[in-house]
Amino acid sequence: PVHIGIDHNLATSYGYDYLDWARLGWFDKPVWMGHLVRTVRDTFYGCEHRVWFFFGDCEPYDACSSPALRTELFPDQFGADMMMHIAEEMAILGSFLPQWHRDAKQ
């Protein structure tokens, strides 16, 4: 993901053990609407999982080239919906990943 400013060597220098990147899009629209970068690193208490979203870098560019198109792709409720999604996802992962981590360390 260097083309969006994420350098794997820099990430490992900050202690991240895992880094991945993905393009984000809709199931029902033929457009990419952003990027996701995920990192994981070991800590003394388990592991730390971080996710960053970069919305608005669209392909094809025409999909986001006007305020009206951006409003359609990212309505007012979009941010709140993403926060709810993340909270639900982390609650689910938190219900089983700590045990997987403990088992993997044994």
Side-chain angles (χ1 to χ4, degrees), residues 4-104:
I4 63 167
I6 307 298
D7 181 342
H8 188 270
N9 293 326
L10 181 61
T12 56
S13 74
Y14 281 100
Y16 291 108
D17 302 299
Y18 177 82
L19 169 76
D20 75 359
W21 164 85
R23 289 293 277 153
L24 302 171
W26 299 102
F27 290 117
D28 62 344
K29 293 181 175 70
V31 62
W32 295 111
M33 61 181 212
H35 305 271
L36 168 147
V37 176
R38 180 179 20 239
T39 61
V40 178
R41 66 178 160 191
D42 280 334
T43 66
F44 70 92
Y45 53 85
C47 69
E48 176 184 270
H49 173 230
R50 304 271 180 177
V51 180
W52 290 271
F53 294 95
F54 303 91
F55 293 108
D57 180 15
C58 296
E59 288 179 27
Y61 174 77
D62 294 2
C64 293
S65 61
S66 75
L69 291 170
R70 284 185 186 269
T71 300
E72 181 183 337
L73 286 173
F74 309 106
D76 289 342
Q77 188 63 32
F78 184 80
D81 290 345
M82 283 300 300
M83 292 295 292
M84 180 60 74
H85 166 78
I86 299 299
E88 291 170 351
E89 181 181 16
M90 293 303 114
I92 292 167
L93 291 173
S95 71
F96 67 88
L97 284 181
Q99 185 62 49
W100 280 12
H101 187 266
R102 282 189 293 276
D103 293 346

